[in-house]
RNA sequence: CGGGCUGUGGCGCAGCUUGGUAGCGCACCUGCUUUGGGAGCAGGGGGUCGUCGGUUCAAAUCCGGCCAGCCCGACCA
C-alpha cells in the first residue's frame, strides 16, 4: 500500500472525550471514529487490525473443529419470547417493529438462533457440533465508554457447542479454554482466566479471560502462589476465626444517639469494632423485603446475591419501606427477633457471638448478640466482596485485586436453551435427549483495544506483528528525490514479494512527521530510506518495540526485515 | 436513571460575565526557502456558533424547551 493513496487520518492531539489509552491512541492513529455513543466506524487501519484478530480466532476455532456460519442481526421477537429473554433481559435488548407491527429484536447474542437451527439435529450421530460466526451485536448499554472498550454495537465471535451429554460439553469447553489462551497470547495480551458469574446467560460454570488494565471495568482476585483466580463477583477468601468473648446473657440494649454508621459506632464504643458488628441491609428481592446480614467491615457484592437467589430483580429497599417493615431507619437496623422477613446471612457471621447490631429502634443498638441463638437465619449465602490481602481459599497466600478488561467469556449453558426451544436428539437407545450446550464469546473490538492497552508506550501503539495493520513501513525521508524514492520503492517491492504486509510512506512530508506517525500507528518494523544513508549504500531498520535501530546495506534490508517479521508473526 | 459538565470550521480551543463586523493554534490550498525526529515566511479557502422558540432595534452571548456528547455513580453476557 502507498500511504499517499491510503486514508490514514492521524491527529496530533488527544481527543477531549477520551480517557482510556486505547481510546486515545486508536482515534489519534486513524483506526476508528465515533458515530454516536457506543458506536464506532472502523477506518481502514482499524479494519485491517480487526480482520487479523478475526483471522487468528478463525484459525484457532477451526482447529478445535468449529464450522463457520453467519446468522442475521435482526431476529423475530417470538424466538426471544420462547426462551423467556424477551422479558428477562430488559432495556439492553433493542426492540423494533417492522411495517406489519411484528416484534423484532436486534441480536444481543445468538443463543436463540443457533439453538433454533440445532433443532434440525436428529441423532446422537450428528453430535458433537461446534458452530460459530462473527457477527454484530447490539446491546443498548445505559452508558457506553472507553472507546472500543465498552460499546453498544460491536462484532463478536461467538461459538456454540452441542453435545449429547455433559461429558461432551466438558470436552468442548476445555478445548475452547485452550483455543482462547492461544488467541489471547497471539494477539499480544497476557490474559488470565478466572472463575466468573454466569449472569443472565444461565448455565452452571463459566470462565472469563481478563487483561489487566486501569481502564478495565471488572476486578479479579488473584492468588500469587497458586492458580486461584476469580472475578470479584464470584471470588471468596478464607477468613481467620474471630476470637469472640463469650457473652452468656441475652442481648442488651444500649443508647446510641445520632449514630447511623458502622464507623461511627466503632468510634463510640470500644466493644463495637467493625468486625464485631453485624451490618444489616434491607433489599427487595422479587418483590419480597429481605434482610441481608454481613460482618460490619464487609461489603455486599450484589452479583453474588443475584446468582444465589436466581433473580436479577433486586434493589435496596426504600427508606419508607424499611420504616414500615422494621420501625426504624437505616443505621439502626438489626435482625434480632425478626421472624416476619427472610434473613440471608453471610457465612462470615456463622457461629459468631457477642456481636453488636441495630435494635430496630432509632438511636438504640444491641450488644451481646449470639448469631445462632438470637437470629433466625433463613439462608446462608456468600455475599461479601473479597478484599485485597485476604487469604486465598485454596492455599492461604494473600490475594491481590487487579483491575481488568473482560475480553472473552466461556459458558457451560447446559440445556437452558435446548429445553426452551425443544431441541432433542435420539440417543443410541432410541431415547429422546435434550442437547447440551456451551457458548463462547470474544468481542473483537474489545480485544483490539485490550491489545493496545497491553502494547503501547509514550509515542504510540506497538502492535504485535500478528495483528499490526501493516507489518512494516518503508519511510521515504525525501519523497521528492527520485533516487531516494526509487531505492525505497525497490525495498518496498522486495518486502511485498517476500510476503510482508508492508506500506510505503511516499508522501511529501517532513521526516519528523513520518516518524511520529509511524510510531503512533505502531508498525512493528520501519525501514528508513534517505539520501544520507544511500550515499553510504545503507538504510536504517528500526524495531518498534524497544525502538532499537540498526544500519544495514541496502541489499540486505529486505531479507533481514522479512526474516524478523516471519519469526514474530507466529509467536 | 441520579449527579456534574460540554456543544463555536476537519481536530484542539478562546469569545458568552457586560448583546453590536466570529477569532486563535493545528490541519488544508498556492508560492518561495527548507528537508534524517512534528520547519519558516508570504498569500489564501473553509463556520446555519447543536437545535427550536422567546426577549431585543440587534443574540454565539440573555431566557426556556428539546437533542447530542463526555465524566462520576447506578447498570452491564
Amino acid at each position: 500500500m502507498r500511504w499517499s493513496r491510503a486514508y490514514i487520518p492521524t491527529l496530533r492531539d488527544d481527543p477531549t472525550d477520551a480517557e482510556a489509552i486505547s481510546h486515545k491512541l486508536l482515534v489519534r492513529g486513524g483506526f476508528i471514529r465515533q458515530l454516536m455513543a457506543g458506536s464506532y466506524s472502523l477506518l481502514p487501519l482499524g479494519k485491517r487490525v480487526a480482520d487479523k484478530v478475526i483471522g487468528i480466532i478463525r484459525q484457532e476455532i477451526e482447529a478445535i473443529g468449529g464450522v463457520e456460519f453467519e446468522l442475521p442481526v435482526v431476529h423475530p421477537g417470538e424466538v426471544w419470547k420462547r426462551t423467556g429473554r424477551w422479558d428477562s433481559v430488559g432495556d439492553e435488548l433493542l426492540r423494533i417493529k417492522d411495517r406489519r407491527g411484528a416484534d423484532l429484536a436486534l441480536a444481543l447474542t445468538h443463543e436463540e438462533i443457533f439453538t433454533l437451527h440445532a433443532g434440525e439435529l436428529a441423532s446422537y450421530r450428528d453430535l458433537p457440533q461446534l458452530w460459530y460466526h462473527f457477527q454484530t451485536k447490539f446491546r443498548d448499554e445505559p452508558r457506553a465508554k472507553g472507546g472500543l472498550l465498552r460499546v453498544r454495537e460491536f462484532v463478536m465471535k461467538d461459538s456454540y457447542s452441542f453435545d449429547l451429554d455433559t461429558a461432551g460439553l466438558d470436552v468442548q469447553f476445555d478445548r475452547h479454554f485452550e483455543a482462547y489462551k492461544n488467541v489471547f497470547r497471539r494477539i499480544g495480551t497476557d490474559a488470565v482466566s478466572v472463575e466468573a458469574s454466569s449472569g443472565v446467560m444461565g448455565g452452571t460454570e463459566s470462565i472469563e479471560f481478563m487483561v489487566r488494565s486501569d481502564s478495565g471495568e471488572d476486578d479479579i482476585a488473584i492468588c500469587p502462589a497458586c492458580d486461584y483466580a476469580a472475578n470479584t463477583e464470584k471470588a471468596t477468601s478464607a477468613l481467620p476465626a474471630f476470637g469472640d468473648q463469650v457473652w452468656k446473657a441475652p442481648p442488651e440494649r444500649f443508647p446510641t444517639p445520632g449514630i447511623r454508621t458502622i464507623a461511627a459506632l466503632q468510634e463510640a464504643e470500644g466493644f463495637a469494632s467493625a468486625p464485631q458488628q453485624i451490618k444489616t441491609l434491607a433489599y427487595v428481592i422479587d418483590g419480597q423485603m429481605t434482610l441481608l446480614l454481613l460482618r460490619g467491615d464487609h461489603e455486599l457484592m450484589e452479583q453474588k446475591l443475584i446468582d444465589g437467589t436466581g433473580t436479577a430483580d433486586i434493589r435496596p429497599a426504600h427508606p419508607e419501606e424499611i420504616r414500615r417493615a422494621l420501625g426504624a431507619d437505616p443505621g439502626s437496623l438489626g435482625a434480632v427477633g425478626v421472624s416476619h422477613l427472610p434473613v440471608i446471612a453471610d457465612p462470615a457471621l456463622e457461629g459468631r457471638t457477642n456481636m453488636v447490631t441495630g435494635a430496630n429502634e432509632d438511636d438504640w443498638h444491641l450488644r451481646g448478640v449470639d448469631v445462632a441463638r438470637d437470629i433466625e437465619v433463613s439462608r446462608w449465602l456468600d455475599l461479601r466482596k473479597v478484599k485485597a490481602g485476604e487469604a486465598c481459599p485454596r492455599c492461604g497466600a494473600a490475594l491481590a485485586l487487579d483491575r481488568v478488561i473482560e475480553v472473552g467469556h466461556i459458558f457451560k449453558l447446559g440445556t437452558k436453551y435446548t429445553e426452551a426451544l425443544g431441541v432433542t436428539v435420539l440417543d443410541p437407545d432410541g431415547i429422546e435427549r435434550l442437547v447440551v450446550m456451551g457458548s463462547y464469546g470474544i468481542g473483537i473490538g474489545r480485544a483490539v483495544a485490550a491489545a493496545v492497552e497491553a502494547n503501547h508506550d509514550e509515542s504510540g501503539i506497538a502492535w504485535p506483528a500478528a495483528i499490526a495493520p501493516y507489518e512494516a513501513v518503508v519511510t521515504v525521508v525525501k519523497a521528492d528525490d527520485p533516487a531516494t524514492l526509487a531505492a525505497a520503492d525497490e525495498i518496498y517491492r522486495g518486502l511485498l514479494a517476500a510476503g510482508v504486509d508492508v506500506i510505503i510512506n511516499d508522501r511529501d512530508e517532513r521526516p519528523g512527521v513520518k516518524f511520529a506517525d509511524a510510531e503512533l500507528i505502531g508498525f512493528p518494523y520501519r525501514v528508513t530510506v534517505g539520501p544520507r544513508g544511500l550515499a553510504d549504500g545503507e538504510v536504517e531498520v528500526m524495531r518498534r518495540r524497544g525502538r532499537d535501530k540498526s544500519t544495514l546495506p541496502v541489499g540486505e534490508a529486505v531479507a533481514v526485515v522479512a526474516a524478523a517479521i516471519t519469526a514474530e508473526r507466529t509467536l
Side-chain angles (χ1 to χ4, degrees):
Chain A
M1 188 65 203
R2 313 192 85 81
W3 199 302
S4 56
R5 300 284 81 217
Y7 181 64
I8 306 175
T10 57
L11 301 175
R12 192 177 292 214
D13 301 315
D14 282 334
T16 34
D17 54 5
E19 288 278 306
I21 292 157
S22 61
H23 186 187
K24 291 178 182 171
L25 291 177
L26 288 169
V27 171
R28 282 188 54 206
F31 292 85
I32 58 170
R33 288 293 185 264
Q34 184 177 45
L35 178 63
M36 59 176 177
S39 183
Y40 283 83
S41 299
L42 290 184
L43 273 34
L45 288 187
K47 172 65 174 160
R48 291 184 70 89
V49 174
D51 280 348
K52 290 192 177 186
V53 171
I54 285 172
I56 287 171
I57 295 172
R58 182 177 283 128
Q59 265 187 11
E60 295 291 341
I61 300 299
E62 293 279 335
I64 59 170
V67 286
E68 188 165 356
F69 284 55
E70 184 169 307
L71 268 43
V73 174
V74 178
H75 300 172
E78 183 261 340
V79 188
W80 285 78
K81 289 172 185 167
R82 280 169 66 190
T83 60
R85 290 166 112 194
W86 181 266
D87 297 315
S88 68
V89 177
D91 290 337
E92 235 184 302
L93 182 66
L94 186 65
R95 298 145 217 258
I96 50 180
K97 281 186 191 296
D98 68 10
R99 66 203 305 161
R100 288 190 293 259
D103 282 325
L104 302 175
L106 248 46
L108 188 84
T109 172
H110 284 80
E111 276 78 15
E112 274 76 5
I113 313 304
F114 269 109
T115 307
L116 199 66
H117 292 307
E120 285 191 50
L121 297 169
S123 158
Y124 74 95
R125 295 171 195 273
D126 296 330
L127 300 178
Q129 291 285 331
L130 173 52
W131 297 353
Y132 77 103
H133 74 342
F134 296 91
Q135 186 55 284
T136 299
K137 320 284 173 194
F138 191 92
R139 297 178 184 181
D140 199 358
E141 297 271 356
R143 186 179 158 208
K145 61 184 270 199
L148 257 32
L149 287 174
R150 176 157 161 183
V151 291
R152 297 196 294 168
E153 176 176 329
F154 60 100
V155 173
M156 175 183 257
K157 184 289 299 180
D158 38 331
S159 37
Y160 302 85
S161 63
F162 302 93
D163 285 275
L164 188 61
D165 50 30
T166 55
L169 170 61
D170 291 346
V171 169
Q172 299 234 50
F173 188 85
D174 292 345
R175 283 183 183 159
H176 270 88
F177 182 83
E178 293 302 323
Y180 273 38
K181 285 208 306 202
N182 291 340
V183 166
F184 295 121
R185 175 177 40 76
R186 290 175 67 184
I187 68 170
T189 59
D190 182 23
V192 297
S193 52
V194 306
E195 295 173 22
S197 156
S198 296
V200 307
M201 297 292 294
T204 55
E205 185 182 336
S206 82
I207 291 178
E208 288 170 324
F209 290 81
M210 304 296 213
V211 174
R212 285 184 186 79
S213 166
D214 291 339
S215 302
E217 301 201 282
D218 283 291
D219 296 294
I220 60 170
I222 184 161
C223 177
C226 71
D227 61 356
Y228 180 75
N231 192 310
T232 52
E233 291 179 351
K234 178 121 195 235
T236 60
S237 64
L239 290 178
F242 200 93
D244 290 317
Q245 287 184 319
V246 180
W247 176 286
K248 291 246 165 66
E252 174 184 297
R253 272 160 43 99
F254 65 100
T256 50
I259 290 177
R260 291 291 180 277
T261 64
I262 301 272
L265 186 52
Q266 167 168 260
E267 192 70 21
E269 303 286 358
F271 54 81
S273 72
Q276 285 172 285
Q277 297 188 46
I278 300 172
K279 180 183 286 187
T280 307
L281 304 172
Y283 264 66
V284 177
I285 300 169
D286 265 344
Q288 168 65 53
M289 161 95 65
T290 302
L291 297 185
L292 308 179
L293 269 35
L294 289 147
R295 204 171 85 180
D297 57 328
H298 288 161
E299 262 188 85
L300 172 68
M301 168 54 75
E302 279 199 354
Q303 189 65 44
K304 288 185 174 181
L305 183 61
I306 292 171
D307 292 343
T309 56
T311 175
D313 183 15
I314 64 163
R315 62 169 173 85
H318 303 309
E320 321 84 70
E321 294 173 315
I322 294 171
R323 176 149 275 286
R324 214 179 311 130
L326 295 170
D329 289 326
S332 304
L333 305 181
V336 174
V338 173
S339 55
H340 63 298
L341 298 176
V343 175
I344 301 179
D346 184 86
L349 296 175
E350 208 154 9
R352 295 289 308 278
T353 60
N354 193 20
M355 300 199 73
V356 175
T357 190
N360 285 333
E361 182 178 345
D362 287 352
D363 301 327
W364 288 87
H365 279 72
L366 298 174
R367 61 183 300 193
V369 173
D370 181 318
V371 173
R373 182 193 61 195
D374 302 323
I375 297 178
E376 215 174 295
V377 174
S378 16
R379 185 169 174 200
W380 295 95
L381 182 63
D382 175 23
L383 290 175
R384 80 189 157 86
K385 194 179 202 168
V386 168
K387 287 188 281 202
E390 290 177 349
C392 170
R394 290 208 191 129
C395 76
L399 290 172
L401 248 48
D402 278 338
R403 187 121 265 236
V404 294
I405 299 167
E406 176 194 346
V407 288
H409 201 160
I410 60 181
F411 299 86
K412 291 185 180 176
L413 293 180
T415 56
K416 172 174 172 171
Y417 295 92
T418 50
E419 194 171 352
L421 299 175
V423 177
T424 59
V425 295
L426 292 182
D427 74 5
D429 301 321
I431 296 169
E432 211 169 52
R433 303 262 297 267
L434 281 172
V435 172
V436 181
M437 280 180 72
S439 89
Y440 316 86
I442 298 177
I444 307 302
R446 192 182 276 188
V448 168
V452 175
E453 295 282 335
N455 298 280
H456 69 272
D457 60 22
E458 59 289 342
S459 46
I461 304 169
W463 294 108
I467 59 169
Y470 292 94
E471 293 165 318
V473 57
V474 176
T475 300
V476 187
V477 171
K478 200 167 155 58
D480 60 351
D481 173 47
T484 305
L485 194 56
D489 204 59
E490 193 174 328
I491 290 171
Y492 167 66
R493 288 171 194 280
L495 287 168
L496 275 182
V500 173
D501 206 1
V502 59
I503 184 169
I504 179 168
N505 194 339
D506 57 340
R507 291 192 309 164
D508 186 16
E509 275 292 350
R510 301 181 67 80
V513 174
K514 295 185 179 183
F515 295 149
D517 272 350
E519 279 157 48
L520 171 63
I521 293 166
F523 306 109
Y525 282 89
R526 185 180 86 203
V527 183
T528 307
V529 183
R532 211 165 73 191
L534 286 176
D536 300 326
E538 290 174 335
V539 296
E540 179 197 88
V541 172
M542 187 179 103
R543 183 169 188 255
R544 178 65 181 82
R545 292 190 185 195
R547 304 166 102 179
D548 35 296
K549 301 175 180 174
S550 54
T551 305
L552 292 176
V554 176
E556 291 177 20
V558 168
V560 169
V561 171
I565 287 171
T566 305
E568 286 187 29
R569 204 183 269 158
T570 51
L571 281 181

